[in-house]
């Protein structure tokens, strides 16, 4: 596991984007696993900037997103489909038919999860997976206690996770209670993993993930077992890490 210490959020975003852009340049038809949430936004903005300068070409790239709220349509501004379209897909030359996000409107959970795993397999697996880090150490929507062996599955979101996402919704009642997410086993099969972490409020979670015991109670701790993980974190997020 490699830890890249960044000065601030902007520096973190640029350093993470550097790793992703290198992957695209080295393998133009690569498969990128993408994350949503506030932390990766700066990374996507940097990638868009480099694309507009002519430094990146997304035309052969395939993307597979981590998760999606259940019961939320693609047109809903709260959906991760909408998020990805606004933050990245509509601003680069990516082929939308090669972008995959779980179908939040599929009421058959078994079908939705099995179908998504088939997509990952059909694409040949993920070359580089981008992750954020939850306050409780979760990655994707894999809540504490979820088995490491889980593949794509339906999650009942904890109140802590729903509260963390409440700022994106009008009120608490509108925050979805379930989501489809790639499981830890699916994430760990990515060839390379990049985690972006920003802010003092993530310092405890990062410390537990990097220097604590490997336990399902801190889902990100399993990343210690992967052979190619780079964590890009700003100074505040790194404040509790041993030198």
């Amino acid at each position: 596991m490699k830890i890249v210490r960044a000065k601030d959020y902007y520096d973190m975003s640029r350093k993470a984007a550097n790793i992703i852009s290198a992957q695209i340049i080295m393998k133009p038809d690569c498969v990128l696993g993408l994350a949503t949430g506030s932390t990766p936004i700066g990374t996507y903005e940097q990638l868009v900037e480099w694309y507009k300068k002519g430094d990146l070409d997304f035309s052969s790239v395939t993307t597979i997103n981590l998760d999606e709220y259940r019961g939320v349509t693609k047109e809903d501004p709260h959906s991760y489909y909408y998020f990805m379209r606004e933050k990245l897909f509509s601003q680069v030359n990516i082929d939308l038919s090669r972008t995959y996000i779980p179908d939040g409107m599929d009421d058959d959970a078994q079908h939705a999860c099995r179908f998504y795993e088939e997509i990952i397999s059909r694409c040949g697996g993920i070359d580089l997976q981008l992750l954020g880090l939850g306050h409780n150490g979760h990655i994707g929507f894999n809540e504490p206690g979820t088995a490491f062996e889980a593949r794509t599955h339906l999650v009942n979101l904890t109140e802590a996770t729903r509260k963390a996402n409440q700022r994106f919704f009008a009120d608490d009642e509108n925050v979805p209670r379930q989501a489809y997410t790639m499981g830890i086993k699916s994430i760990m099969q990515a060839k390379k993993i990049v985690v972006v972490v920003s802010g003092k409020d993530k310092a405890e979670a990062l410390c537990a993930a990097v220097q604590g015991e490997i336990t399902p109670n801190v889902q990100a701790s399993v990343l210690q077992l992967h052979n190619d993980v780079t964590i890009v974190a700003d100074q505040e997020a790194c404040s509790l890490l041993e030198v």
Side-chain angles (χ1 to χ4, degrees):
M1 180 180 286
K2 179 181 180 182
I3 299 177
V4 177
R5 296 172 184 253
K7 292 180 294 185
D8 50 27
Y9 178 79
Y10 174 79
D11 189 37
M12 178 210 73
S13 300
R14 188 178 179 86
K15 282 178 165 61
N18 262 322
I19 299 171
I20 297 171
S21 63
Q23 175 67 64
I24 296 171
I25 292 168
M26 289 187 298
K27 186 180 180 182
D29 61 345
C30 65
V31 179
L32 300 179
L34 300 181
T36 51
S38 56
T39 308
I41 290 176
T43 301
Y44 295 143
E45 288 176 345
Q46 185 65 74
L47 291 173
V48 169
E49 180 181 328
W50 287 335
Y51 162 74
K52 290 181 177 178
K53 288 182 178 178
D55 296 331
L56 286 176
D57 178 12
F58 288 83
S59 62
S60 298
V61 171
T62 296
T63 65
I64 301 177
N65 262 71
L66 275 172
D67 40 36
E68 178 60 282
Y69 289 121
R70 190 185 194 192
V72 176
T73 66
K74 292 180 178 180
E75 293 74 25
D76 191 315
H78 300 113
S79 74
Y80 289 154
Y81 178 92
Y82 189 95
F83 176 99
M84 292 306 306
R85 185 178 63 196
E86 291 294 302
K87 304 301 182 184
L88 183 64
F89 297 159
S90 66
Q91 301 190 64
V92 298
N93 64 331
I94 199 164
D95 180 351
L96 290 178
S97 69
R98 299 168 69 107
T99 62
Y100 299 98
I101 299 175
D103 184 0
M105 294 305 292
D106 191 336
D107 292 330
D108 186 337
Q110 286 190 343
H111 173 267
C113 297
R114 184 176 63 252
F115 182 69
Y116 208 60
E117 283 296 322
E118 290 173 357
I119 289 173
I120 297 172
S121 177
R122 191 168 67 241
C123 291
I126 295 170
D127 292 303
L128 185 154
Q129 176 67 60
L130 177 65
L131 298 173
L133 179 67
H135 291 93
N136 60 6
H138 73 247
I139 47 179
F141 271 130
N142 294 286
E143 299 286 9
T146 305
F148 286 154
E149 295 81 11
R151 292 188 178 275
T152 301
H153 59 287
L154 178 66
V155 178
N156 293 316
L157 303 178
T158 65
E159 286 306 308
T161 296
R162 294 184 67 246
K163 185 176 181 179
N165 290 332
Q166 184 178 341
R167 65 188 186 279
F168 301 116
F169 295 83
D171 54 58
D172 178 65
E173 285 304 310
N174 288 324
V175 183
R177 298 181 181 277
Q178 292 183 311
Y180 289 118
T181 186
M182 284 170 53
I184 295 299
K185 188 167 186 177
S186 307
I187 292 170
M188 289 291 284
Q189 288 180 335
K191 298 178 182 69
K192 182 180 184 68
I193 295 174
V194 177
V195 190
V196 286
V197 192
S198 176
K200 199 169 185 63
D201 58 330
K202 297 290 182 71
E204 287 189 14
L206 180 59
C207 186
V210 172
Q211 298 176 342
E213 66 173 324
I214 299 172
T215 169
N217 293 326
V218 181
Q219 291 282 298
S221 65
V222 74
L223 298 176
Q224 296 177 40
L225 300 177
H226 196 281
N227 62 6
D228 193 350
V229 174
T230 301
I231 295 177
V232 188
D234 63 18
Q235 288 185 351
E236 290 189 336
C238 290
S239 60
L240 298 181
L241 293 181
E242 297 175 3
V243 176

